[in-house]
Amino acid sequence: MIKKLLALAFIITFVFGYAQVSEFQRADSRYDRKIKALYNKYPKPNDLRTKKEWLLTEEKISAYKNALDKVSAEEKKLIALDPPTKSKITKEAEYDKGKASFQKLLYEAVDLAFLNFSSDSYKATMTFVVDSKGNALDANVKGNNEDVNAFIEAAFYRIKNQGKWKPAESNGKPVSSTVSLPLVLTFKK
């Protein structure tokens, strides 16, 4: 019975995860379309164009946060079926191509150019659960800018199916665990 529930949970996760990625793509597409129209209407920078750019950016951030709230609520239900172990882990969860490869994919998927971020780099910590089947779930980024954190979390959902996680082990048995990754993003100016 538990195996059937986990299999159903995996299918729901895959379908829901794909739907979330398309939510981010729709937000990106809407933003790109509107920003292009804005630049056509106001080819030279001015106060009105800057104000409208900011409003469009806020709209995109809001769309991302709404999509992340939905996916988080669904994934918390899945985690409740297979919660991270409290017992001692004998082998940490591993990304099949290595954590550095996962971080590189994540960095490449994060697009913050439109934010005009004032710093050269951004430090944060990402945590997520790798369940006993190797599914990466419920990304949470802690850094000092909620908007940047949301875009990093969205990048996680864009890449999470581009490789496979091997679940942690406790005494040779696969278990659900929490993974923590330090992040340092460098911004191109």
Side-chain angles (χ1 to χ4, degrees), residues 106-122:
L106 185 66
Y107 293 152
E108 290 170 355
V110 176
D111 178 17
L112 300 171
F114 69 96
L115 283 178
N116 295 324
F117 205 66
S118 60
S119 176
D120 290 339
S121 65
Y122 184 74

Side-chain angles (χ1 to χ4, degrees), residues 11-26:
I11 292 169
I12 290 170
T13 301
F14 179 76
V15 169
F16 193 75
Y18 182 78
Q20 290 312 123
V21 169
S22 65
E23 284 292 319
F24 301 128
Q25 289 169 337
R26 274 196 290 277

Side-chain angles (χ1 to χ4, degrees), residues 2-60:
I2 296 228
K3 286 185 179 182
K4 287 182 181 179
L5 283 174
L6 287 174
L8 179 62
F10 175 73
I11 292 169
I12 290 170
T13 301
F14 179 76
V15 169
F16 193 75
Y18 182 78
Q20 290 312 123
V21 169
S22 65
E23 284 292 319
F24 301 128
Q25 289 169 337
R26 274 196 290 277
D28 290 342
S29 178
R30 258 190 324 268
Y31 174 83
D32 292 343
R33 193 174 58 254
K34 288 180 177 183
I35 207 81
K36 184 177 180 184
L38 179 66
Y39 288 171
N40 284 338
K41 186 172 182 177
Y42 303 102
K44 293 184 180 183
N46 62 45
D47 289 343
L48 184 58
R49 183 175 108 169
T50 301
K51 182 179 178 181
K52 289 184 182 257
E53 281 175 324
W54 180 246
L55 291 173
L56 291 175
T57 300
E58 285 292 315
E59 184 180 309
K60 182 176 179 176

Side-chain angles (χ1 to χ4, degrees), residues 33-185:
R33 193 174 58 254
K34 288 180 177 183
I35 207 81
K36 184 177 180 184
L38 179 66
Y39 288 171
N40 284 338
K41 186 172 182 177
Y42 303 102
K44 293 184 180 183
N46 62 45
D47 289 343
L48 184 58
R49 183 175 108 169
T50 301
K51 182 179 178 181
K52 289 184 182 257
E53 281 175 324
W54 180 246
L55 291 173
L56 291 175
T57 300
E58 285 292 315
E59 184 180 309
K60 182 176 179 176
I61 291 167
S62 179
Y64 268 54
K65 287 182 178 179
N66 288 337
L68 288 167
D69 287 345
K70 288 178 191 173
V71 75
S72 179
E74 287 300 313
E75 289 186 348
K76 284 186 186 323
K77 292 176 190 174
L78 297 174
I79 291 169
L81 296 172
D82 186 12
T85 186
K86 302 277 188 222
S87 63
K88 184 172 166 92
I89 293 175
T90 53
K91 186 177 179 188
E92 296 289 327
E94 298 175 358
Y95 187 64
D96 62 356
K97 299 170 189 160
K99 279 187 182 179
S101 176
F102 183 78
Q103 285 173 308
K104 183 176 186 250
L105 277 173
L106 185 66
Y107 293 152
E108 290 170 355
V110 176
D111 178 17
L112 300 171
F114 69 96
L115 283 178
N116 295 324
F117 205 66
S118 60
S119 176
D120 290 339
S121 65
Y122 184 74
K123 292 181 182 181
T125 301
M126 172 182 274
T127 58
F128 55 95
V129 172
V130 174
D131 71 10
S132 61
K133 301 289 184 210
N135 300 306
L137 306 165
D138 199 30
N140 189 352
V141 175
K142 296 284 185 215
N144 54 357
N145 185 307
E146 285 185 37
D147 297 341
V148 174
N149 296 346
F151 282 88
I152 296 169
E153 290 172 16
F156 168 86
Y157 289 102
R158 283 191 170 111
I159 67 158
K160 78 177 206 165
N161 293 325
Q162 291 185 19
K164 186 74 175 148
W165 282 88
K166 297 174 192 165
E169 292 181 7
S170 179
N171 299 320
K173 292 180 72 176
V175 293
S176 183
S177 67
T178 302
V179 174
S180 181
L181 291 175
L183 303 172
V184 179
L185 282 84

